[in-house]
Amino acid sequence: MDEGHRAHEPQWGPRAAPRNSAGAAAGRPVPPPGPVPDSRYGDGSRPPQGKRRRVFLWVFLAVQILFLVWVIWGASTASGTPEACRGRTGDDLRLCNDASDVGTTIGVGLVIALWAAVDVILGFTYLVYRLASRRA
């Protein structure tokens, strides 16, 4: 190939839009300086731009930590021989320990089910809040 042919090869990738003297893309009007009108503020000012607080995030994390501690504590109470099984021997001791383990499993399962229900409720609450607070 000669050098003249390469000059006419297509250029791949994004191209920069031509700009006018005001810095806007050619053919597009330059926005006027000043505050941008907002439908919630009649005077055309913007809402105050303070630090965005993530209250829901911290409440959600606190709930998760509480349930996690509750599950760990509930599962750890199953270790060892329960008070009700002391003094028993043989099959009676094994049966008593097994019944205690089943009770602990049911209890931890109920806590996990409650945990899931609370997470679903928190999720729907957050979804409704986000939908209600978004700009129209």
Side-chain angles (χ1 to χ4, degrees), residues 111-124:
V111 171
I112 291 173
L114 180 64
W115 187 356
V118 168
D119 280 351
V120 168
I121 291 169
L122 284 174
F124 279 127

Side-chain angles (χ1 to χ4, degrees), residues 21-102:
S21 61
R28 295 191 179 177
V30 177
V36 176
D38 189 356
S39 61
R40 292 185 288 177
Y41 297 92
D43 61 352
S45 65
R46 289 185 173 184
Q49 294 293 328
K51 184 177 178 182
R52 187 171 175 203
R53 290 173 176 78
R54 298 182 181 260
V55 175
F56 179 80
L57 174 68
W58 292 109
V59 169
F60 183 78
L61 289 176
V63 168
Q64 302 311 303
I65 290 171
L66 286 173
F67 272 107
L68 184 63
V69 167
W70 194 7
V71 166
I72 291 171
W73 176 77
S76 69
T77 59
S79 63
T81 303
E83 281 291 322
C85 297
R86 297 208 193 278
R88 297 180 186 221
T89 59
D91 287 340
D92 286 341
L93 177 62
R94 187 174 47 81
L95 185 62
C96 187
N97 280 334
D98 290 346
S100 175
D101 292 343
V102 168

